Amino acid sequence: MKVGVLGTGSVGKTIGTKLVELGHEVTMGSRSATNEQAAEWAASAGAGAGHGTFAGAAASGELVFNCTSGMVSLEALGAAGEENVSGKVLVDVSNPLDFSKGRPPTLSVCNDDSVGEQIQRAFPEAKVVKALNTMNAAIMVDPASVPGEHDVFVSGNDDGAKAQVSELLQSFGWPAERIIDLGDITAARGTEMYLPLWLRLMGTVGPAFNIHVAS
Ligand SMILES: NC(=O)c1ccc[n+]([C@@H]2O[C@H](COP(=O)([O-])OP(=O)(O)OC[C@H]3O[C@@H](n4cnc5c(N)ncnc54)[C@H](OP(=O)(O)O)[C@@H]3O)[C@@H](O)[C@H]2O)c1
């Protein structure tokens, strides 16, 4: 599959590298076609890796990942272009962390809205699936690095899109029974508002943890 990965941070690189390892063709997108981080990543990630602008990456992908800061995701997707995400599965990994007043960050959107919903409203023809935002990047693509059973959440309005993302997550190593479908995209409020607790846990146990829902 051809995948556009919007974002040159650790999440974009980690997901992009895993996708290339799995045989997908990945274009990493940035504000600039000559972004150094993206160029270095593309040079080192293997034959299926390329880079370009947000628009170029989104246009090339059959499926698109949003791995930009939640504070600027609408801007980045605006630059990617509505025509380049319409009709496509758009996996939103972002969190609305606002560091403008220092640490700990606050949430730039919460309670009755979320970045996932903002994106779905702004790009109504995209099939937004919120996923993977509740864990450190390394765990997203290597769940076995955390011992025991633990979970990944998906939410979105399109069942077919969630099924496709679920398949992709299984190819990342997630057991099907550990992928929890939380319903429509409004569930992104909960997974994004988990971040204050995630940050406190990280301060206590380090970043290599995840949560398990026991029932
Ligand atoms: N780090 C983690 O382990 C982790 C875990 C779960 C979820 N997340 C979430 O995943 C997302 C990506 O995190 P990250 O740490 O990899 O990267 P990040 O530093 O949050 O975001 C990097 C990307 O944001 C873009 N960007 C910055 N300012 C912009 C602007 N004004 N307009 C458009 N684009 C702009 C950058 O573009 P350029 O390429 O042009 O510089 C870059 O591609 C975040 O929302 C984060 O909260 C992170």
Side-chain angles (χ1 to χ4, degrees):
M1 184 165 56
K2 290 184 175 171
V3 185
V5 173
L6 311 183
T8 57
S10 60
V11 176
K13 286 179 192 159
T14 303
I15 288 177
T17 299
K18 183 69 175 186
L19 289 166
V20 170
E21 279 169 14
L22 290 170
H24 301 294
E25 215 173 289
V26 177
T27 305
M28 178 177 281
S30 161
R31 282 171 288 186
S32 139
T34 55
N35 180 289
E36 261 180 47
Q37 301 257 12
E40 273 171 31
W41 173 81
S44 66
H51 70 104
T53 59
F54 284 136
S60 73
E62 298 156 59
L63 179 146
V64 178
F65 273 89
N66 172 40
C67 308
T68 63
S69 158
M71 291 281 288
V72 298
S73 289
L74 288 177
E75 236 174 285
L77 284 160
E82 185 163 11
E83 66 282 11
N84 293 324
V85 293
S86 286
K88 297 180 184 174
V89 175
L90 174 54
V91 188
D92 176 32
V93 184
S94 74
N95 280 310
L97 298 181
D98 180 354
F99 291 92
S100 64
K101 298 184 199 87
R103 287 174 185 269
T106 55
L107 299 175
S108 62
V109 55
C110 63
N111 292 332
D112 56 359
D113 203 2
S114 60
V115 185
E117 289 166 271
Q118 289 177 333
I119 294 173
Q120 186 62 84
R121 279 199 303 275
F123 303 94
E125 301 302 323
K127 299 167 190 169
V128 179
V129 178
K130 191 89 196 181
L132 292 169
N133 63 308
T134 52
M135 67 197 74
N136 181 253
I139 300 167
M140 297 176 186
V141 300
D142 186 14
S145 63
V146 173
E149 292 192 326
H150 54 99
D151 304 311
V152 59
F153 304 112
V154 294
S155 58
N157 300 342
D158 188 294
D159 287 340
K162 283 190 286 191
Q164 201 181 332
V165 172
S166 179
E167 249 178 64
L168 198 57
L169 292 175
Q170 288 174 63
S171 75
F172 285 4
W174 289 96
E177 65 277 14
R178 302 272 52 95
I179 302 171
I180 300 181
D181 184 343
L182 295 174
D184 69 28
I185 193 64
T186 61
R189 297 172 193 178
T191 64
E192 294 177 14
M193 287 193 287
Y194 163 63
L195 260 291
L197 175 56
W198 185 91
L199 288 162
R200 294 302 290 225
L201 286 167
M202 184 188 70
T204 305
V205 303
F209 73 92
N210 193 17
I211 49 174
H212 175 50
V213 180
S215 61

